[in-house]
Amino acid sequence: RRFLVLLVFVAIVGVIASLAAWSFQQLIYQMQQGVFDDLPGTLGFDSVPVWWPLPWLLVAGVVVAFAIVRLPGTGGHVPAHGLDPSPTQPIELPGLLLAAVAGIGLGIVLGPEAPLIGLGGALGFLLIRSIRSDTPPEAQTLIATSGVFAALSFLFGSPVIAAVSLIEASAIGGAQM
C-alpha cells in the first residue's frame, strides 16, 4: 500500500515538474523573442544592430551576479563543475530561477538542463514537505529525483535520454558507463 501511494505521488510530482519545465521553456522563448526579435523594430530599427546583444548581456550579468551573491543557493550549481543531478532545496529556487531566466533569456549561451534539474528537484521537495513534513529523507530524495527526471524528460522529449543524462551526470556507472 505504501509503495502504491508513493508511486502515485511520484507521478503527480512528475506531471507538475513537467508543467513547470514547459512554463520555464515558454518564458525563456517569449523573453528571447521579445528582446531580440520584437524590441529592435519597436524602437525603430530596420534590422537588429550588431551591438544589440551587448547591453542585454550586461543586464544579464548584473542580474545573475545579484542572484549568486544575494539570494540563497548561489544561482544554482557552477557550470564549470559539470552537471549536478542532486535535487535543489526549495529555498534555493528563487535564486536559481532568476539567474536562469535572466541568463538564458537575455542571451548568455547556456542550456536549460541545469535549471530544469534544479526546478524539478526543488518542486519535488516542496510538494512532499508541504503535504507531509515527517516524510523520511530517503523518500523525500526519491520524490525530488522524480521531479528532476520528469523535467529532463520533458526537455529532451524522451525518458531514455533523460536517464542516460542523469546516469552520466551522477557518474553512477563510472568510467565504463
Side-chain angles (χ1 to χ4, degrees):
R1 175 165 156 69
R2 285 184 179 169
F3 178 73
L4 183 60
V5 170
L6 186 61
L7 187 61
V8 168
F9 195 77
V10 164
I12 292 168
V13 168
V15 169
I16 292 170
S18 295
L19 179 62
W22 176 81
S23 300
F24 176 80
Q25 291 287 88
Q26 282 299 308
L27 176 62
I28 296 297
Y29 174 77
Q30 295 299 327
M31 193 170 172
Q32 289 175 345
Q33 291 296 308
V35 169
F36 295 106
D37 290 341
D38 301 338
L39 190 57
T42 303
L43 294 176
F45 293 102
D46 293 331
S47 64
V48 179
V50 175
W51 54 265
W52 188 258
L54 295 178
W56 297 111
L57 291 174
L58 178 65
V59 170
V62 169
V63 173
V64 170
F66 172 79
I68 290 170
V69 174
R70 298 286 182 198
L71 296 176
T74 64
H77 80 280
V78 179
H81 297 157
L83 202 56
D84 183 3
S86 59
T88 301
Q89 296 299 319
I91 187 88
E92 300 170 348
L93 198 52
L96 180 142
L97 287 177
L98 180 62
V101 167
I104 300 170
L106 294 176
I108 294 176
V109 183
L110 291 174
E113 295 87 356
L116 289 178
I117 286 173
L119 177 62
L123 285 175
F125 275 132
L126 189 63
L127 289 170
I128 190 62
R129 289 175 184 167
S130 65
I131 290 175
R132 188 160 178 201
S133 60
D134 64 339
T135 303
E138 298 84 15
Q140 289 184 24
T141 302
L142 173 70
I143 290 166
T145 303
S146 73
V148 169
F149 184 73
L152 275 184
S153 294
F154 173 82
L155 174 68
F156 294 130
S158 167
V160 174
I161 296 172
V164 170
S165 297
L166 288 174
I167 287 171
E168 281 183 15
S170 60
I172 290 173
Q176 282 287 341
M177 190 67 114

